[in-house]
């Protein structure tokens, strides 16, 4: 189903929504559509509909974007909202700079991703491939990386306890850990940097992705 026809469908549903309610369509191709009482629009960098620039924030690195659903970029222990929950749009065939969060972190992948985790007990980096529907829980201050293995934008849903992306402890990189003289953390983050790879999407995964796109088109067309 095209973005245009998807927007028409959401426009129809938008008229039913109470003020303040929002409806999101996370497409298999990574594009995101948003509807509220004001109508429907595409949410994303370069989107032709709506004030996309006002709705997206930089997500750790250039070219990666976040849209807050709970909390905001200024969430912190001093300005708590208990947790933040946001939609992330990860650029094709890209990876975040390895980092560690000051709080616990959960990521639900809606596409083909990978997460590199530093195992302090075994002193090694473990690469975990993620497929649509896999949610990974990452403890506080565990060094990790996150990559989009696919050739289309990747949607993720990410929850963090205690910190928004403006806080200095939201994403601590190796360079920042070195600046703080946190040597053990810095060494672990450098290990993740050295081991970071953007792996391929396998043949079976590509076939499954095609079937999901077909299923989504059938579901949209049935309404």
């Amino acid at each position: 189903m095209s973005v245009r026809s998807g927007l028409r469908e959401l426009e129809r549903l938008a008229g039913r929504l109470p003020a303040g309610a929002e409806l999101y369509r996370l497409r298999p191709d990574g594009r995101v559509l948003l509807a509220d009482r004001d109508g429907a629009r595409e949410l994303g960098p370069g989107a032709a509909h709506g004030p996309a620039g006002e709705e997206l924030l930089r997500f750790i690195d250039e070219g990666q974007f976040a849209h807050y659903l709970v909390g905001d970029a200024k969430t912190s222990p001093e300005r708590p909202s208990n947790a933040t929950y946001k939609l992330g749009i990860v650029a094709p065939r890209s990876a975040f700079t390895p980092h560690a969060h000051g709080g616990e972190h959960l990521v639900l992948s809606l596409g083909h991703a990978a997460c590199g985790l530093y195992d302090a007990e075994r002193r090694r980096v473990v690469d975990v491939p993620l497929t649509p529907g896999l949610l990974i829980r990452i403890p506080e201050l565990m060094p990790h990386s996150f990559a989009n293995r696919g050739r289309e934008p990747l949607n993720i849903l990410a929850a963090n306890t205690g910190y928004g992306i403006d806080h200095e402890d939201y994403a601590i990189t190796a360079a920042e850990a070195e600046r703080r003289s946190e040597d053990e953390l810095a060494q672990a983050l450098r290990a993740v940097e050295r081991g970071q790879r953007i792996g391929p999407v396998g043949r079976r995964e590509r076939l499954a992705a095609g079937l999901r796109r077909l299923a989504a088109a059938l579901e949209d067309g049935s309404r």
Side-chain angles (χ1 to χ4, degrees):
M1 189 178 222
S2 69
V3 170
R4 183 174 298 177
S5 57
L7 285 170
R8 285 199 299 268
E9 174 63 20
L10 282 184
E11 285 279 6
R12 185 178 66 82
L13 295 174
R16 305 179 184 180
L17 294 173
E22 295 178 334
L23 189 63
Y24 291 80
R25 177 69 164 112
L26 309 182
R27 291 165 47 101
D29 61 5
R31 299 174 78 168
V32 180
L33 310 182
L34 166 62
D36 55 24
R37 278 284 288 275
D38 294 329
R41 57 196 179 275
E42 184 177 358
L43 177 68
H49 303 270
E54 298 175 10
E55 297 173 323
L56 294 176
L57 300 173
R58 171 175 163 157
F59 195 5
I60 301 177
D61 293 308
E62 291 291 344
Q64 316 290 14
F65 299 93
H67 175 76
Y68 273 85
L69 303 172
V70 176
D72 59 41
K74 297 184 183 301
T75 293
S76 71
E78 293 75 35
R79 188 176 179 275
S81 59
N82 298 318
T84 63
Y85 190 57
K86 55 189 173 292
L87 167 67
I89 303 173
V90 186
R93 299 292 299 167
S94 71
F96 290 105
T97 300
H99 55 274
H101 296 290
E104 187 178 27
H105 186 42
L106 298 99
V107 181
L108 172 64
S109 175
L110 299 180
H112 294 100
C115 189
L117 302 168
Y118 186 75
D119 186 334
E121 182 181 359
R122 297 184 175 93
R123 302 184 68 82
R124 68 183 186 188
V125 179
V126 179
D127 187 59
V128 181
L130 301 175
T131 52
L134 277 180
L135 183 148
I136 188 164
R137 184 175 188 169
I138 304 171
E140 175 183 339
L141 292 178
M142 176 176 284
H144 63 280
S145 63
F146 195 88
N148 177 6
R149 294 185 287 127
R151 299 189 180 281
E152 295 178 327
L154 167 71
N155 296 151
I156 61 174
L157 294 173
N160 292 72
T161 56
Y163 297 92
I165 55 180
D166 280 356
H167 195 277
E168 61 183 5
D169 288 337
Y170 174 76
I172 305 167
T173 63
E176 175 61 18
E178 289 166 352
R179 188 189 69 80
R180 300 181 186 187
S181 298
E182 296 178 4
D183 297 335
E184 187 173 345
L185 178 58
Q187 290 171 12
L189 284 162
R190 291 298 184 196
V192 177
E193 284 183 354
R194 291 191 297 270
Q196 187 175 58
R197 300 287 186 275
I198 302 176
V201 176
R203 182 175 61 85
R204 290 185 179 182
E205 291 176 322
R206 292 195 299 271
L207 176 60
L211 292 173
R212 277 190 293 275
R213 285 193 289 269
L214 176 60
L218 289 172
E219 288 171 348
D220 283 340
S222 69
R223 296 192 185 102

